[in-house]
Amino acid sequence: MKKIKVFLVDDHDILMDGIEAILKDVANLVVVGKANSVDTAQELIKISVPDLILTDISLGEKSGLDLTKYVKKEYPQIKVMVLSMHDDILNMTNMLKAGASGYLLKNVKNAELHKAIVTVMEGGSYIQDSIASKLKNVSQSTHQHQINNLSAREIEIIRLISKEHTSAEIGKMLFISEHTVETHRKNIWRKTGVKSTIGLLNFAKDHHLLS
């Protein structure tokens, strides 16, 4: 069976050695490299080309966020997982938005670490159980904020868009100009963060806006 090649990045060598010792006991994993800075990691990744990078966030002058952005741009096939002591929402959301597929704290149990690696390598994402609720609460809060920001008129237009009416048709039905409808559309895109009609319909379905 092909082993998963793991690369470790942490500015504390003793912690990195400890992680390596843990992973050595897992049959389907092999540590192919270690680095204590982003610059060193970038050089060594070119040589080892791992399947997965386990990185901390605080790495000195450059951060794990810098490394993640670099890896996802230059080696999109390589998975990135965070292994950090930072459990704040800002770091978690920034790393996940940059392309990290998993987020774990350094107090993670060995079994959960292995479970997370397997999940990510199978194409999924993994957030440590003890911090997953934080992200869920933020997500729910964000979605509610998006809904609250929509006016009654905008929700009405979303429903008409879902019925495949054009801006001109919507204008006639609501007794407003086509230009006003287009302005409402732009505001809807901005408030919901969607980028297409399909995205808007999915948003509306998810938030029970369609009647």
Side-chain angles (χ1 to χ4, degrees):
M1 181 175 62
K2 183 182 177 182
K3 291 191 175 185
I4 298 170
K5 298 187 293 182
V6 182
F7 192 97
L8 306 178
V9 187
D10 197 298
D11 61 345
H12 293 92
D13 289 339
I14 190 169
L15 292 177
M16 196 157 45
D17 290 343
I19 298 166
E20 181 180 20
I22 292 170
L23 296 181
K24 277 185 175 179
D25 292 333
V26 182
N28 64 333
L29 302 179
V30 57
V31 175
V32 296
K34 297 185 294 181
N36 55 18
S37 72
V38 173
D39 289 337
T40 302
Q42 290 176 352
E43 290 301 317
L44 295 179
I45 288 168
K46 294 177 184 177
I47 301 170
S48 59
V49 192
D51 302 305
L52 172 70
I53 295 173
L54 271 175
T55 182
D56 194 357
I57 296 176
S58 300
L59 298 170
E61 185 177 345
K62 295 181 181 178
S63 69
L65 182 61
D66 297 316
L67 177 62
T68 301
K69 290 178 178 178
Y70 167 81
V71 170
K72 299 315 292 183
K73 178 182 178 182
E74 300 296 331
Y75 307 94
Q77 78 281 6
I78 298 178
K79 305 291 186 180
V80 178
M81 283 179 57
V82 180
L83 188 57
S84 176
M85 62 182 291
H86 298 292
D87 65 350
D88 59 285
I89 293 298
L90 182 60
N91 273 307
M92 286 192 279
T93 54
N94 282 345
M95 290 299 289
L96 294 172
K97 285 180 180 178
S101 298
Y103 200 107
L104 305 168
L105 300 181
K106 288 183 176 178
N107 64 0
V108 65
K109 302 296 184 183
N110 295 0
E112 188 174 6
L113 173 59
H114 186 219
K115 177 183 176 183
I117 292 174
V118 171
T119 300
V120 167
M121 292 311 302
E122 289 179 346
S125 58
Y126 193 96
I127 309 298
Q128 186 171 329
D129 291 342
S130 61
I131 57 175
S133 60
K134 283 189 176 184
L135 285 175
K136 183 178 180 181
N137 290 339
V138 169
S139 177
Q140 289 175 340
S141 174
T142 299
H143 287 168
Q144 191 59 49
H145 177 69
Q146 289 171 320
I147 296 171
N148 291 342
N149 268 349
L150 291 170
S151 67
R153 175 66 88 189
E154 287 164 349
I155 292 175
E156 189 175 17
I157 289 174
I158 289 173
R159 288 170 177 166
L160 292 172
I161 291 172
S162 74
K163 295 176 181 177
E164 300 185 357
H165 291 296
T166 66
S167 292
E169 291 170 341
I170 293 172
K172 290 179 181 178
M173 296 169 74
L174 300 180
F175 303 102
I176 57 178
S177 69
E178 184 176 352
H179 174 73
T180 300
V181 175
E182 288 298 327
T183 299
H184 280 307
R185 279 181 179 265
K186 290 177 182 177
N187 288 335
I188 290 168
W189 301 143
R190 176 177 56 80
K191 291 180 179 181
T192 59
V194 301
K195 293 180 171 46
S196 67
T197 301
I198 293 176
L200 178 63
L201 295 182
N202 288 334
F203 177 92
K205 289 176 183 177
D206 291 342
H207 295 87
H208 311 290
L209 297 180
L210 304 181
S211 56

